[in-house]
Amino acid sequence: MSDPNHSPFTPLNALTDEDRIIHAPARLAIMSCLAVVESADFLFLLRQTGLTKGNLSSHLSKLEEAGFVEITKEFLKKTPHTLLSLSEKGQKAFQDYQARMSAILKGSAE
Amino acid sequence: MNEPVDLKKLERKLFKTNFQDGIYELAFGMLFLALAINPWMSASGIPKTPSYILELVLVGLILVMGKRYITTPRLGLVRFNTARRKMSWQILIAGLILNLIVVIILHLASNPGTEPGTSLMSIYLIPIGFLVIFSILSYISNFPSLFLLGILFATSIAFSEFLFPHIGEPWDGLVAFGLSALIMCAIGIRKLVIFMQTNPVPEGEVHNV
Protein backbone atom coordinates (compact mmCIF):
# COMPACT_ATOMS: atom_id res chain seq x y z
CA MET A 1 0.00 0.00 0.00
CA SER A 2 1.54 3.33 -1.00
CA ASP A 3 1.69 6.27 1.39
CA PRO A 4 -0.60 9.06 0.07
CA ASN A 5 1.61 11.67 1.75
CA HIS A 6 4.53 10.61 -0.43
CA SER A 7 2.60 10.29 -3.65
CA PRO A 8 4.22 12.18 -6.55
CA PHE A 9 0.86 13.92 -7.05
CA THR A 10 0.63 15.30 -3.49
CA PRO A 11 1.77 18.82 -4.57
CA LEU A 12 -1.36 19.03 -6.76
CA ASN A 13 -3.33 19.37 -3.51
CA ALA A 14 -1.83 22.85 -3.29
CA LEU A 15 -4.02 23.90 -6.22
CA THR A 16 -6.89 26.09 -5.10
CA ASP A 17 -10.43 26.16 -6.48
CA GLU A 18 -9.47 29.26 -8.47
CA ASP A 19 -6.52 27.37 -9.96
CA ARG A 20 -8.84 24.57 -10.99
CA ILE A 21 -11.05 27.01 -12.88
CA ILE A 22 -8.01 28.22 -14.84
CA HIS A 23 -6.45 24.76 -15.22
CA ALA A 24 -8.90 23.49 -17.90
CA PRO A 25 -6.99 23.63 -21.23
CA ALA A 26 -9.50 25.86 -23.01
CA ARG A 27 -9.73 28.32 -20.11
CA LEU A 28 -5.94 28.27 -19.67
CA ALA A 29 -5.60 29.23 -23.35
CA ILE A 30 -8.11 32.08 -22.94
CA MET A 31 -6.50 33.35 -19.73
CA SER A 32 -3.00 33.15 -21.26
CA CYS A 33 -4.10 35.14 -24.32
CA LEU A 34 -5.77 37.78 -22.21
CA ALA A 35 -2.82 37.91 -19.80
CA VAL A 36 -0.46 39.16 -22.51
CA VAL A 37 -2.75 41.75 -24.12
CA GLU A 38 -4.70 44.68 -22.75
CA SER A 39 -7.95 43.57 -24.38
CA ALA A 40 -9.15 41.49 -27.30
CA ASP A 41 -12.46 40.82 -28.97
CA PHE A 42 -14.36 37.56 -29.23
CA LEU A 43 -13.18 36.88 -32.80
CA PHE A 44 -9.51 37.33 -31.89
CA LEU A 45 -9.83 34.80 -29.06
CA LEU A 46 -11.75 32.48 -31.35
CA ARG A 47 -8.87 32.52 -33.86
CA GLN A 48 -6.09 32.23 -31.32
CA THR A 49 -7.55 29.49 -29.14
CA GLY A 50 -9.02 27.44 -31.98
CA LEU A 51 -12.20 26.83 -29.96
CA THR A 52 -15.68 26.79 -31.44
CA LYS A 53 -17.97 29.78 -30.86
CA GLY A 54 -20.16 27.85 -28.39
CA ASN A 55 -17.18 26.46 -26.50
CA LEU A 56 -15.46 29.82 -26.24
CA SER A 57 -18.68 31.47 -25.18
CA SER A 58 -19.34 28.95 -22.40
CA HIS A 59 -15.75 29.07 -21.07
CA LEU A 60 -15.82 32.87 -21.11
CA SER A 61 -19.06 32.81 -19.15
CA LYS A 62 -17.42 30.59 -16.52
CA LEU A 63 -14.44 32.89 -16.30
CA GLU A 64 -16.74 35.89 -16.04
CA GLU A 65 -18.74 34.19 -13.27
CA ALA A 66 -15.48 33.64 -11.38
CA GLY A 67 -14.72 37.34 -11.81
CA PHE A 68 -11.56 36.66 -13.84
CA VAL A 69 -12.68 38.20 -17.11
CA GLU A 70 -14.33 41.55 -17.75
CA ILE A 71 -16.65 41.71 -20.71
CA THR A 72 -17.34 45.12 -22.20
CA LYS A 73 -20.01 45.49 -24.85
CA GLU A 74 -19.77 48.50 -27.10
CA PHE A 75 -20.86 49.68 -30.52
CA LEU A 76 -18.29 50.19 -33.25
CA LYS A 77 -19.96 52.00 -36.16
CA LYS A 78 -23.41 50.73 -35.14
CA THR A 79 -22.14 47.15 -34.87
CA PRO A 80 -22.22 45.48 -31.44
CA HIS A 81 -18.76 44.54 -30.31
CA THR A 82 -17.53 42.58 -27.31
CA LEU A 83 -14.18 43.40 -25.76
CA LEU A 84 -12.63 41.06 -23.22
CA SER A 85 -9.90 41.67 -20.71
CA LEU A 86 -8.56 40.15 -17.52
CA SER A 87 -9.90 41.73 -14.35
CA GLU A 88 -7.53 42.56 -11.50
CA LYS A 89 -8.76 39.44 -9.72
CA GLY A 90 -8.14 37.44 -12.88
CA GLN A 91 -4.62 38.79 -13.25
CA LYS A 92 -3.76 37.92 -9.67
CA ALA A 93 -5.36 34.48 -9.92
CA PHE A 94 -3.42 33.76 -13.12
CA GLN A 95 -0.12 34.90 -11.59
CA ASP A 96 -0.74 32.74 -8.53
CA TYR A 97 -1.68 29.79 -10.73
CA GLN A 98 1.53 30.22 -12.77
CA ALA A 99 3.60 30.37 -9.58
CA ARG A 100 1.96 27.31 -8.03
CA MET A 101 2.18 25.26 -11.23
CA SER A 102 5.82 26.28 -11.68
CA ALA A 103 6.58 25.05 -8.18
CA ILE A 104 4.76 21.77 -8.85
CA LEU A 105 6.53 21.25 -12.19
CA LYS A 106 9.88 22.15 -10.63
CA GLY A 107 9.24 19.69 -7.80
CA SER A 108 8.30 16.91 -10.20
CA ALA A 109 11.41 17.54 -12.29
CA GLU A 110 13.74 17.10 -9.29
CA MET B 1 11.28 26.21 -18.53
CA ASN B 2 9.05 25.11 -15.68
CA GLU B 3 6.26 27.65 -16.19
CA PRO B 4 3.08 26.14 -17.64
CA VAL B 5 2.76 28.99 -20.16
CA ASP B 6 5.68 30.99 -21.54
CA LEU B 7 3.95 34.38 -21.62
CA LYS B 8 6.75 36.26 -23.39
CA LYS B 9 6.77 33.71 -26.19
CA LEU B 10 2.98 33.80 -26.40
CA GLU B 11 2.92 37.61 -26.57
CA ARG B 12 5.47 37.58 -29.41
CA LYS B 13 3.42 34.92 -31.20
CA LEU B 14 0.20 36.94 -30.85
CA PHE B 15 1.97 40.11 -32.00
CA LYS B 16 3.26 38.23 -35.05
CA THR B 17 -0.34 37.61 -36.15
CA ASN B 18 -0.33 41.31 -37.10
CA PHE B 19 2.05 40.53 -39.93
CA GLN B 20 0.61 37.33 -41.36
CA ASP B 21 -1.83 39.10 -43.71
CA GLY B 22 0.79 40.32 -46.21
CA ILE B 23 -0.60 43.87 -46.11
CA TYR B 24 2.72 45.32 -44.93
CA GLU B 25 4.61 43.53 -47.71
CA LEU B 26 2.12 44.90 -50.25
CA ALA B 27 2.57 48.41 -48.84
CA PHE B 28 6.37 48.03 -49.01
CA GLY B 29 6.00 46.78 -52.58
CA MET B 30 3.98 49.88 -53.43
CA LEU B 31 6.70 51.98 -51.82
CA PHE B 32 9.28 50.40 -54.14
CA LEU B 33 6.92 50.94 -57.06
CA ALA B 34 6.66 54.60 -56.09
CA LEU B 35 10.45 54.87 -56.11
CA ALA B 36 10.57 53.05 -59.47
CA ILE B 37 8.06 55.29 -61.25
CA ASN B 38 9.13 58.51 -59.54
CA PRO B 39 11.84 59.36 -62.13
CA TRP B 40 9.26 58.79 -64.90
CA MET B 41 6.87 61.24 -63.30
CA SER B 42 9.73 63.67 -62.89
CA ALA B 43 10.60 63.28 -66.59
CA SER B 44 7.01 64.15 -67.49
CA GLY B 45 7.21 67.38 -65.52
CA ILE B 46 5.79 66.34 -62.12
CA PRO B 47 8.22 67.31 -59.34
CA LYS B 48 9.82 64.35 -57.51
CA THR B 49 9.34 65.36 -53.89
CA PRO B 50 5.56 66.15 -53.86
CA SER B 51 4.80 63.08 -55.96
CA TYR B 52 6.78 60.85 -53.54
CA ILE B 53 4.89 62.34 -50.59
CA LEU B 54 1.58 61.69 -52.40
CA GLU B 55 2.69 58.10 -53.07
CA LEU B 56 3.54 57.72 -49.38
CA VAL B 57 0.03 58.85 -48.47
CA LEU B 58 -1.38 56.24 -50.88
CA VAL B 59 0.79 53.54 -49.27
CA GLY B 60 -0.52 54.61 -45.86
CA LEU B 61 -4.08 54.36 -47.18
CA ILE B 62 -3.42 50.80 -48.43
CA LEU B 63 -2.22 49.88 -44.94
CA VAL B 64 -5.15 51.45 -43.11
CA MET B 65 -7.84 50.19 -45.51
CA GLY B 66 -6.27 46.72 -45.74
CA LYS B 67 -6.16 46.36 -41.98
CA ARG B 68 -9.70 47.70 -41.55
CA TYR B 69 -11.49 45.83 -44.33
CA ILE B 70 -9.41 42.65 -44.75
CA THR B 71 -7.56 41.83 -41.53
CA THR B 72 -9.86 42.95 -38.72
CA PRO B 73 -13.03 41.20 -39.99
CA ARG B 74 -11.03 37.95 -40.23
CA LEU B 75 -8.74 38.14 -37.23
CA GLY B 76 -10.59 40.32 -34.76
CA LEU B 77 -9.40 43.25 -32.73
CA VAL B 78 -6.66 43.20 -30.15
CA ARG B 79 -5.09 45.90 -28.05
CA PHE B 80 -1.56 45.03 -26.99
CA ASN B 81 -0.01 46.13 -23.72
CA THR B 82 1.51 49.57 -23.25
CA ALA B 83 5.12 48.48 -23.76
CA ARG B 84 4.29 46.86 -27.11
CA ARG B 85 2.22 49.84 -28.25
CA LYS B 86 5.07 52.18 -27.28
CA MET B 87 7.48 50.04 -29.32
CA SER B 88 5.11 50.10 -32.32
CA TRP B 89 4.99 53.90 -32.17
CA GLN B 90 8.80 54.06 -32.00
CA ILE B 91 9.04 51.84 -35.09
CA LEU B 92 6.47 53.97 -36.90
CA ILE B 93 8.42 57.14 -36.07
CA ALA B 94 11.66 55.45 -37.21
CA GLY B 95 9.91 54.52 -40.48
CA LEU B 96 8.74 58.10 -40.98
CA ILE B 97 12.28 59.41 -40.33
CA LEU B 98 13.61 56.91 -42.89
CA ASN B 99 11.08 58.14 -45.42
CA LEU B 100 12.04 61.73 -44.63
CA ILE B 101 15.65 60.78 -45.44
CA VAL B 102 14.46 59.29 -48.76
CA VAL B 103 12.53 62.52 -49.50
CA ILE B 104 15.67 64.58 -48.78
CA ILE B 105 17.81 62.29 -50.98
CA LEU B 106 15.22 62.56 -53.78
CA HIS B 107 15.08 66.33 -53.37
CA LEU B 108 18.87 66.62 -53.51
CA ALA B 109 19.05 64.27 -56.50
CA SER B 110 16.49 66.34 -58.39
CA ASN B 111 18.57 69.52 -57.98
CA PRO B 112 20.90 70.41 -60.84
CA GLY B 113 24.52 69.54 -60.14
CA THR B 114 23.69 66.64 -57.81
CA GLU B 115 22.61 64.12 -60.42
CA PRO B 116 22.99 60.51 -59.30
CA GLY B 117 26.21 58.93 -60.33
CA THR B 118 28.51 56.12 -59.42
CA SER B 119 30.09 57.06 -56.14
CA LEU B 120 31.39 55.20 -53.14
CA MET B 121 28.75 56.78 -50.89
CA SER B 122 25.70 55.96 -53.00
CA ILE B 123 26.83 52.43 -53.87
CA TYR B 124 28.09 51.28 -50.47
CA LEU B 125 27.45 53.64 -47.60
CA ILE B 126 23.75 54.55 -48.08
CA PRO B 127 22.66 50.92 -48.79
CA ILE B 128 24.67 49.58 -45.85
CA GLY B 129 23.22 52.28 -43.60
CA PHE B 130 19.66 51.40 -44.62
CA LEU B 131 20.37 47.67 -44.23
CA VAL B 132 21.68 48.18 -40.68
CA ILE B 133 18.66 50.33 -39.71
CA PHE B 134 16.12 47.89 -41.18
CA SER B 135 17.88 44.91 -39.56
CA ILE B 136 17.63 46.58 -36.15
CA LEU B 137 13.95 47.46 -36.76
CA SER B 138 13.26 43.89 -37.90
CA TYR B 139 14.85 42.47 -34.74
CA ILE B 140 13.03 44.87 -32.42
CA SER B 141 9.63 44.43 -34.06
CA ASN B 142 9.96 40.66 -34.55
CA PHE B 143 8.98 41.17 -38.19
CA PRO B 144 11.41 39.39 -40.60
CA SER B 145 9.99 41.15 -43.69
CA LEU B 146 11.61 44.40 -42.50
CA PHE B 147 15.01 42.71 -42.90
CA LEU B 148 14.04 41.64 -46.44
CA LEU B 149 12.87 45.20 -47.07
CA GLY B 150 16.30 46.45 -45.94
CA ILE B 151 18.10 44.00 -48.24
CA LEU B 152 15.91 44.89 -51.22
CA PHE B 153 16.21 48.61 -50.51
CA ALA B 154 19.99 48.41 -50.20
CA THR B 155 20.43 46.30 -53.35
CA SER B 156 18.02 48.54 -55.28
CA ILE B 157 20.04 51.67 -54.50
CA ALA B 158 23.33 49.96 -55.34
CA PHE B 159 21.88 48.30 -58.47
CA SER B 160 20.37 51.58 -59.63
CA GLU B 161 23.73 53.32 -59.25
CA PHE B 162 25.41 50.47 -61.11
CA LEU B 163 22.88 50.68 -63.96
CA PHE B 164 22.97 54.49 -64.27
CA PRO B 165 26.11 54.75 -66.46
CA HIS B 166 24.80 51.94 -68.71
CA ILE B 167 21.13 52.76 -69.27
CA GLY B 168 20.73 56.18 -67.62
CA GLU B 169 17.71 57.74 -65.91
CA PRO B 170 14.82 56.85 -65.57
CA TRP B 171 15.52 53.25 -66.63
CA ASP B 172 18.04 52.58 -63.84
CA GLY B 173 15.52 53.27 -61.07
CA LEU B 174 12.70 51.58 -62.91
CA VAL B 175 14.63 48.32 -63.30
CA ALA B 176 16.26 48.32 -59.85
CA PHE B 177 13.29 49.40 -57.74
CA GLY B 178 10.77 47.76 -60.08
CA LEU B 179 12.35 44.35 -59.47
CA SER B 180 12.19 44.90 -55.71
CA ALA B 181 8.56 46.04 -56.02
CA LEU B 182 7.77 42.87 -57.94
CA ILE B 183 9.41 40.63 -55.31
CA MET B 184 7.76 42.41 -52.37
CA CYS B 185 4.30 42.52 -54.01
CA ALA B 186 4.55 38.82 -54.95
CA ILE B 187 5.37 37.93 -51.33
CA GLY B 188 2.54 40.17 -50.11
CA ILE B 189 -0.05 38.72 -52.49
CA ARG B 190 0.97 35.16 -51.62
CA LYS B 191 0.69 35.86 -47.88
CA LEU B 192 -2.61 37.69 -48.38
CA VAL B 193 -4.15 34.81 -50.36
CA ILE B 194 -3.02 32.25 -47.76
CA PHE B 195 -4.31 34.50 -44.96
CA MET B 196 -7.72 34.93 -46.62
CA GLN B 197 -7.99 31.19 -47.27
CA THR B 198 -7.06 30.18 -43.75
CA ASN B 199 -9.05 32.96 -42.07
CA PRO B 200 -12.40 33.36 -43.84
CA VAL B 201 -14.82 35.99 -42.55
CA PRO B 202 -16.84 34.11 -39.93
CA GLU B 203 -20.46 33.47 -40.78
CA GLY B 204 -23.11 34.80 -38.43
CA GLU B 205 -22.55 36.93 -35.39
CA VAL B 206 -19.38 36.41 -33.40
CA HIS B 207 -19.64 39.25 -30.94
CA ASN B 208 -21.90 37.58 -28.41
CA VAL B 209 -20.62 35.95 -25.27
Side-chain angles (χ1 to χ4, degrees), chain B residues 67-86:
Chain B
K67 286 284 170 192
R68 177 175 286 185
Y69 295 107
I70 298 174
T71 314
T72 307
R74 289 173 167 80
L75 214 58
L77 266 179
V78 60
R79 223 175 130 83
F80 286 93
N81 54 37
T82 320
R84 181 62 88 174
R85 286 212 307 273
K86 198 175 160 191

Side-chain angles (χ1 to χ4, degrees), chain A residues 83-98:
Chain A
L83 269 181
L84 307 131
S85 58
L86 276 195
S87 63
E88 266 183 45
K89 187 185 173 189
Q91 282 173 15
K92 193 180 176 309
F94 188 68
Q95 280 168 8
D96 292 347
Y97 166 81
Q98 283 266 92

